[in-house]
Amino acid sequence: MRQTTPFSKSSALRAAISLLQGRLVAFPTETVYGLGADALNRQAVSRIYQIKERPRSHPLIVHISNTNLLKYWVIEIPDYAQQIAEQFWPGPVTLILKKNPMINDFVTGGQSNIGIRIPNNSCALEILRNFEAIGGTGVAAPSANMFKSISPTNAQDVWKELGKRFSNGDLIIDGGNSKIGIESTIIDCTKLHPKILRPGYITQTMLENFLDIKLKKFTQKNKINHSGEHLTHYQPKTPLFVNITPLPGDGLIALSEIDTPQSVYRLSTPETLDSFASSLYSSFRKADEMKLARIVVILERQDGIAEAIMDRATKASTRILN
Ligand code: TXA
Ligand code: MG
């Protein structure tokens, strides 16, 4: 297959047709690149698990272009979930809702809940709209990386990560860099109150202010037992440490206000938390390619997206077992 296909109106239509024919299509979203398949096609969904070497019990997020399709996938949408959807979709938020029992559960790893998201990326939306116009109902898409590896934030990284595993007819649509760079905020909406299962660009404070309620604090301990929640998820090959002093030969990721010590390689110098997030995973990949001794992430802030950055950096970090 061709390495990557530039996004255009015609490649978006081709991508939609390919999806409906059971092919896999990697496509950009504002968070990270997704590896898409027709969510109703058992064989296509099965290939996602095969290619990623992801355990079958780990559910996939279904991507749609508008809320009219929600009724197909879910029953019972609590008022607060409806409000979150209206406010933050299209956007970097995945809502976990009670699955319509008519829907087969191969996309949800056998669970009775389903994750749904409307991404805020013009390429993704164009592909989804085309897909729906020709009869599709949703695109299942995990991040387009091997299980336990780092999510890709551009088309080249998808190719490097999975290219050899694709078949003829599969596509990687190149729509530039993912703007946010870390995966969506996941909110469990199956109970009386919403609960954050994975932090992201839409923060707990934003949700609390919007809904005017206090949410249970997200901690590493009250997480769900699925792939995003494995201790060793998001790991680069290079050992990674958080908030320690870098040594000569290390790679450093820190805000621009922090100086680079001598003989340390500066992997990125973001001026803002947003650019810290959007360059995080490509910096991890750069360190792997350069075979640096270690990656050191320094970030002492806790506001806004810093929480999600620290969540990903901590999961990527090397644990000293004792
Ligand atoms: O930003 C994102 O969410 C990206 C883009 C492509 O949309 N997708 C993504 O998918 O990160 P994935 O599969 O790499 O991570 C989704 C996480 C997994 O940890 C999965 O277990 C969890 O969401 N998840 C999906 N459906 C779920 C469900 N029904 N209940 C609980 N957790 C669920
Ligand atoms: Mg993932």
Side-chain angles (χ1 to χ4, degrees):
M1 74 180 254
R2 225 178 121 166
Q3 285 200 6
T4 62
T5 303
F7 171 78
S8 65
K9 279 210 170 293
S10 66
S11 68
L13 180 59
R14 208 169 110 217
I17 295 168
S18 300
L19 284 166
L20 210 59
Q21 289 173 335
R23 308 286 188 199
L24 300 190
V25 176
F27 61 96
T29 83
E30 79 280 33
T31 56
V32 299
Y33 271 64
L35 176 62
D38 178 352
L40 292 181
N41 184 326
R42 184 187 291 272
Q43 272 169 344
V45 169
S46 170
R47 275 193 65 219
I48 290 184
Y49 285 97
Q50 213 180 0
I51 285 184
K52 281 179 61 89
E53 294 182 11
R54 171 171 169 136
R56 304 265 163 177
S57 56
H58 293 174
L60 304 178
I61 297 170
V62 173
H63 297 68
I64 55 179
S65 82
N66 72 82
T67 48
N68 293 339
L69 282 164
L70 265 183
K71 56 182 177 300
Y72 189 85
W73 294 102
V74 306
I75 43 162
E76 265 187 59
I77 306 174
D79 279 351
Y80 68 78
Q82 192 74 44
Q83 289 173 39
I84 297 171
E86 276 165 29
Q87 176 76 5
F88 296 105
W89 276 351
V93 168
T94 296
L95 302 183
I96 308 293
L97 294 157
K98 288 200 178 128
K99 184 178 77 68
N100 177 350
M102 302 288 283
I103 297 286
N104 239 311
D105 63 4
F106 55 80
V107 80
T108 62
Q111 294 199 63
S112 57
N113 301 328
I114 188 161
I116 309 273
R117 181 162 107 81
I118 303 183
N120 185 16
N121 172 286
S122 53
C123 312
L125 287 172
E126 181 78 11
I127 294 170
L128 291 170
R129 279 192 215 108
N130 277 309
F131 179 69
E132 291 155 12
I134 58 176
T137 26
V139 173
S143 50
N145 52 280
M146 294 296 292
F147 181 56
K148 290 192 175 177
S149 173
I150 310 155
S151 299
T153 53
N154 62 62
Q156 271 312 311
D157 286 347
V158 177
W159 171 256
K160 284 187 209 153
E161 179 89 15
L162 300 176
K164 286 195 190 73
R165 295 168 168 260
F166 280 157
S167 309
N168 264 340
D170 296 336
L171 287 173
I172 301 173
I173 300 293
D174 185 350
N177 289 334
S178 292
K179 223 170 166 176
I180 293 177
I182 56 175
E183 304 82 354
S184 61
T185 307
I186 300 184
I187 308 171
D188 181 356
C189 300
T190 61
K191 311 264 159 55
L192 194 59
H193 298 293
K195 188 170 134 200
I196 295 183
L197 302 180
R198 179 175 74 182
Y201 186 79
I202 304 302
T203 61
Q204 170 148 348
T205 313
M206 285 160 82
L207 286 168
E208 286 179 339
N209 289 343
F210 171 67
L211 295 170
D212 201 16
I213 52 168
K214 237 17 217 157
L215 300 186
K216 221 168 117 189
K217 181 95 193 99
F218 171 83
T219 64
Q220 293 289 346
K221 281 189 209 91
N222 69 18
K223 59 210 171 193
I224 44 168
N225 189 23
H226 302 296
S227 64
E229 312 308 323
H230 278 250
L231 280 186
T232 53
H233 206 50
Y234 314 109
Q235 247 177 355
K237 293 181 192 80
T238 313
L240 186 149
F241 298 85
V242 178
N243 290 340
I244 62 160
T245 308
L247 298 172
D250 288 349
L252 175 63
I253 302 172
L255 285 167
S256 56
E257 67 221 32
I258 291 179
D259 292 335
T260 314
Q262 237 186 352
S263 306
V264 166
Y265 182 82
R266 190 61 176 246
L267 286 163
S268 70
T269 317
E271 305 251 329
T272 61
L273 286 179
D274 282 359
S275 54
F276 202 117
S278 65
S279 58
L280 188 71
Y281 290 153
S282 53
S283 301
F284 289 177
R285 285 178 189 275
K286 190 153 58 164
D288 281 351
E289 276 164 21
M290 293 179 68
K291 299 198 166 36
L292 294 178
R294 308 187 301 175
I295 301 168
V296 175
V297 178
I298 298 183
L299 183 62
E300 272 157 356
R301 286 181 44 185
Q302 282 165 354
D303 53 314
I305 200 174
E307 183 185 19
I309 296 170
M310 284 312 275
D311 171 72
R312 305 309 193 272
T314 310
K315 281 177 185 155
S317 67
T318 306
R319 274 149 228 272
I320 300 158
L321 302 172
N322 49 32

